[in-house]
């Protein structure tokens, strides 16, 4: 009550300086590690397939944190929130990591890297099936065409025979005549159907025959070819990039413009457009995880996949925000801007999303476990075999849910930056183990055709990839933090946010 | 309303009106510092930070809810394990009847946890607030009624150990009450 803060006192913002050494070290570790990793992947051909999984793991983990930042920015505007204006710039900065991380996914696009075919079997399998269909078509086309021509001729002959049978017997009883006429109708229909085939169109006939062979060869890939084909895969990657990057850059751009001119129209624009941007975010992220993660085994599917990955992303980017905020405050920034009330609110959101993640993760497991349908249980069977079973129970059930749930229930913990950051770090570790659990069990099974659950020693690649991408992520995050005020200093809602009480 | 002289009636407490939320807030800090326990403030809208100004500790309700929730979980798990695993093992969809049946019992456990937590909130609140009751002495006061319109009201009850008939009235005047009324019952 006493001493309400006035937003006018804060209109110059706070600018993040320094941390040059840290940025330098992170840059060296990140880019150096990435160079080492990619060189290893390029020259150590035996290990390239294993390293593909490591790279996917690291990229998806950091991408999920960035996408979470985008989600919180959008949600903040769309729900017309006032509490979080002081931390909104941090959300925007986190979201603006998306293009940098998506660019790290470029090795997946280049077939020559060997990453793509090792990760997503449907690429090589589809190619092989199409190739063998092509070979079969070449071998059997003449035969096929001859058969078709013979069929057409035969049908025509049958029609003629039928007509002759009716006209040659003038004394037929009405019933017999009717019977023959009916038969003739059927024959005519058959002949007409066959006659629709354009026998002179060799290319069309070839395509039809090839499609038949493709279906015979790989029925599932044939059924899913509308989604699982190279062309649309590349187009989708491009759309994710444009969609996710475009949304966060527009919002962050408006927000920074408002810092300069203080015009509330930017605030209104952000609020209005965020509702429209939310579906872009939701569709992009959902299909991205379909393409990158669910397609690791193209025979498996889950309708809760998108929301499962979203829950983890939202929870942990909130955790990362708390950590970044605490470190910034340690370094002397935002001391007078962010209060324990903000920590409390962010802690509450962490608790809510801890529960939400568990709810979604359990529901997905529960429905598949109970229905017990072969094509669905595959995912969990792999992840309940060998040491993955203990892993799941320890890290996902206890570590990812029960521990942070119990800790975050305590009100005091949510108002203590150090404790809340500790919980957030714990959550981040569990999230990395969650992403690891989604991607890595597929590695042994896919690469050894099911004879091995794990690849010995491959965890070193996982670690190297993780550290490299972490370094790059940290480097760009520090760069983005320094590029604008640490909070939207001339937002109309700043007053409300500075004095928030909950 | 003037103070009654009927000797069969007792003083319930003083109702004091303050002119603004800020005045009430600062007055509350002073009452808190003076060590009163049985008192409350009533305002037309929530005043942020009032709980701190009144020196209120954390409510026990959350502990009660936690107890309710844990009871719900335990009861649900016990009932299901006892009936479906121990007493009469029920095989559904070829699922095991041992500890690994646990996932099947989660929905019921989850629901019962929430149900008993909600019961703990509702009935706990009723007990803590001593509700329901037919009437309350404060309803006799016309001044008190203003809290739902434009009045910022503070009530100090006579059962407070620090309550002194004259001194408390003077105290309320010194901390800025614009109107004071004694309520009897």
């Amino acid at each position: 009550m006493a001493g309400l803060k006035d937003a006018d006192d804060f209109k110059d913002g706070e600018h993040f300086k320094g941390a040059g050494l840290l940025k330098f070290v992170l840059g060296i570790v990140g880019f150096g590690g990435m160079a080492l990793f990619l060189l290893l992947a390029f020259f150590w051909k035996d290990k390239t397939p294993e390293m593909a999984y490591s790279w996917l793991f690291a990229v998806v983990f950091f991408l999920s944190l960035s996408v979470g930042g985008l989600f919180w920015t959008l949600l903040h505007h769309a729900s017309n929130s006032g509490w979080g204006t002081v931390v909104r710039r941090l959300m925007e900065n986190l979201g603006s990591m998306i293009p940098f991380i998506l660019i790290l996914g470029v090795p997946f696009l280049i077939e020559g890297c060997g990453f793509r075919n090792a990760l997503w079997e449907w690429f090589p399998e589809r190619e092989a099936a199409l190739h063998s269909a092509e070979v079969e078509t070449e071998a059997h086309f003449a035969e096929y065409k001859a058969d078709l021509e013979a069929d057409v001729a035969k049908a025509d002959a049958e029609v003629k025979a039928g007509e002759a049978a009716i006209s040659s017997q003038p004394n037929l009883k009405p019933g017999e005549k009717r019977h023959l006429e009916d038969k003739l109708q059927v024959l005519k229909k058959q002949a007409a159907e066959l006659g629709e085939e354009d026998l002179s169109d060799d290319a069309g006939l070839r395509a039809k025959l090839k499609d038949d062979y493709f279906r015979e060869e790989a029925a599932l890939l044939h059924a899913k070819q509308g989604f699982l084909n190279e062309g649309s895969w590349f187009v989708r990657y491009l759309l994710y990039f444009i969609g996710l990057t475009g949304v966060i850059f527009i919002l962050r751009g408006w927000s920074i413009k408002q810092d300069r001119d203080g015009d509330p129209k930017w605030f209104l624009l952000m609020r209005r457009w965020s509702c429209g941007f939310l579906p872009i975010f939701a569709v992009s992220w959902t299909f991205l995880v379909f393409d990158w993660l669910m397609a690791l085994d193209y025979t498996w599917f889950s309708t809760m996949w998108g929301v499962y990955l979203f829950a983890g992303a939202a929870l942990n980017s909130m955790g990362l925000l708390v950590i970044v905020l605490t470190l910034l405050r340690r370094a002397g920034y935002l001391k007078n801007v962010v209060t324990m009330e903000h920590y409390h609110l962010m802690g509450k959101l962490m608790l809510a999303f801890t529960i939400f993640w568990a709810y979604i993760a359990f529901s997905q497991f529960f429905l598949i476990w109970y229905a017990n349908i072969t094509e669905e249980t595959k995912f969990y069977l792999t992840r309940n075999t060998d040491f993955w079973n203990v892993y799941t129970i320890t890290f996902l059930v206890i570590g990812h849910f029960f521990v942070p749930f119990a800790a975050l229930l305590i009100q005091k913990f949510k108002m203590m930056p150090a404790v809340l950051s500790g919980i957030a770090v714990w959550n981040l570790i569990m999230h990395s183990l969650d992403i690891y659990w989604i991607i890595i069990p597929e590695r042994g099974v896919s690469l050894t055709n099911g004879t091995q659950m794990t690849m010995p020693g491959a965890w070193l690649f996982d670690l190297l990839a993780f550290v490299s991408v972490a370094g790059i992520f940290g480097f760009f995050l520090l760069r983005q933090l320094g590029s604008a005020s640490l909070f939207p200093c001339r937002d109309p809602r700043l007053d409300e946010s500075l004095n928030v009480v909950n | 309303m003037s103070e009654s002289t009927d000797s069969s009636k007792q003083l319930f407490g003083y109702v004091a009106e303050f002119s603004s939320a800020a005045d009430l807030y600062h007055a509350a800090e002073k009452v808190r510092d003076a060590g009163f326990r049985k008192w409350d403030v009533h305002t037309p809208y929530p005043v942020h930070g009032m709980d701190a100004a009144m020196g209120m500790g954390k409510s026990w309700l959350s502990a009660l809810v936690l107890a309710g929730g844990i009871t719900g979980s335990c009861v649900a798990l016990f009932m299901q394990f006892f009936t479906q695993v121990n007493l009469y093992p029920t095989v559904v969809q070829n699922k095991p009847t041992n500890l690994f049946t646990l996932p099947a019992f989660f929905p019921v456990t989850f629901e019962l946890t929430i149900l008993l937590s909600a019961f703990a909130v509702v009935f706990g609140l009723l007990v803590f607030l001593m509700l329901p009751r037919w009437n309350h002495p404060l309803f006799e006061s016309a001044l008190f009624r203003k809290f739902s319109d434009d009045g910022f009201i503070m009530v100090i009850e006579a059962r407070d150990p620090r309550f002194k008939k004259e001194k408390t009235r003077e105290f309320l005047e010194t901390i800025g009450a614009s109107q004071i009324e004694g309520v009897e019952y």
Side-chain angles (χ1 to χ4, degrees), chain A residues 182-251:
Chain A
D182 282 354
K183 262 173 94 175
L184 184 61
Q185 283 301 322
V186 174
L187 288 172
K188 271 184 176 167
K189 210 175 154 195
Q190 273 177 5
E193 269 170 19
L194 280 168
E196 273 174 18
E197 296 277 6
D198 185 358
L199 288 182
S200 60
D201 176 17
D202 267 9
L205 287 179
R206 261 172 207 280
K208 194 166 178 267
L209 183 61
K210 193 180 164 188
D211 194 53
D212 285 347
Y213 278 121
F214 180 33
R215 186 192 292 122
E216 226 170 82
E217 194 79 27
L220 209 47
L221 284 172
H222 181 268
K224 295 183 178 184
Q225 65 179 335
F227 192 80
L228 295 184
N229 64 72
E230 288 84 354
S232 72
W233 193 83
F234 284 111
V235 171
R236 285 200 301 273
Y237 192 98
L238 195 66
L239 289 179
Y240 305 147
F241 193 91
I242 296 171
L244 294 171
T245 310
V247 167
I248 190 63
F249 269 63
I250 289 170
L251 286 176

Side-chain angles (χ1 to χ4, degrees), chain A residues 111-298:
Chain A
E111 204 189 339
C113 279
F115 279 10
R116 197 189 76 182
N117 288 2
L119 284 170
W120 299 295
E121 293 91 49
W122 68 266
F123 279 109
E125 282 184 26
R126 182 181 142 87
E127 206 173 308
L130 281 174
H131 178 71
S132 94
E134 184 74 45
V135 171
E136 293 282 318
T137 310
E138 280 311 312
H140 299 289
F141 182 65
E143 198 184 317
Y144 173 73
K145 196 175 171 189
D147 279 356
L148 259 182
E149 279 165 352
D151 282 350
V152 171
K154 193 179 158 208
D156 286 346
E158 276 175 347
V159 170
K160 283 210 182 78
E163 280 167 349
I166 296 170
S167 56
S168 64
Q169 292 169 278
N171 302 326
L172 279 175
K173 288 176 185 155
E176 282 171 350
K177 193 175 178 190
R178 180 68 196 271
H179 175 64
L180 286 175
E181 274 172 357
D182 282 354
K183 262 173 94 175
L184 184 61
Q185 283 301 322
V186 174
L187 288 172
K188 271 184 176 167
K189 210 175 154 195
Q190 273 177 5
E193 269 170 19
L194 280 168
E196 273 174 18
E197 296 277 6
D198 185 358
L199 288 182
S200 60
D201 176 17
D202 267 9
L205 287 179
R206 261 172 207 280
K208 194 166 178 267
L209 183 61
K210 193 180 164 188
D211 194 53
D212 285 347
Y213 278 121
F214 180 33
R215 186 192 292 122
E216 226 170 82
E217 194 79 27
L220 209 47
L221 284 172
H222 181 268
K224 295 183 178 184
Q225 65 179 335
F227 192 80
L228 295 184
N229 64 72
E230 288 84 354
S232 72
W233 193 83
F234 284 111
V235 171
R236 285 200 301 273
Y237 192 98
L238 195 66
L239 289 179
Y240 305 147
F241 193 91
I242 296 171
L244 294 171
T245 310
V247 167
I248 190 63
F249 269 63
I250 289 170
L251 286 176
R252 191 169 182 272
W254 285 344
S255 179
I256 289 173
K257 271 188 192 137
Q258 195 178 45
D259 278 3
R260 252 177 257 135
D261 61 14
D263 192 339
K265 82 172 177 197
W266 302 116
F267 165 78
L268 294 171
L269 266 178
M270 286 187 277
R271 193 172 69 185
R272 187 169 310 140
W273 278 91
S274 285
C275 300
F277 286 158
L278 265 171
I280 298 180
F281 149 77
V283 170
S284 298
W285 179 239
T286 303
F287 280 89
L288 193 149
V289 296
F290 283 178
D291 270 350
W292 287 20
L293 301 181
M294 204 158 90
L296 286 171
D297 178 359
Y298 69 86

Side-chain angles (χ1 to χ4, degrees), chain A residues 16 19 22-23 26 62 65-66 69 89-98 100-101 252 317 320-321 323-325 327-328 469-484 486:
Chain A
F16 180 72
L22 180 61
K23 197 157 87 176
L26 284 172
F62 287 99
L65 297 181
S66 319
R89 182 57 48 75
L90 298 181
M91 299 171 185
E92 290 163 356
N93 286 336
L94 199 52
S96 67
M97 295 286 100
I98 290 172
F100 304 116
I101 302 298
R252 191 169 182 272
S317 69
L320 187 61
L321 280 175
I323 295 167
V324 171
L325 195 59
L327 291 176
L328 280 173
V469 181
I472 294 172
F473 185 84
F475 174 79
F476 281 112
L477 189 62
L478 284 178
R479 221 192 63 156
Q480 293 293 85
L481 282 179
S483 70
L486 285 174

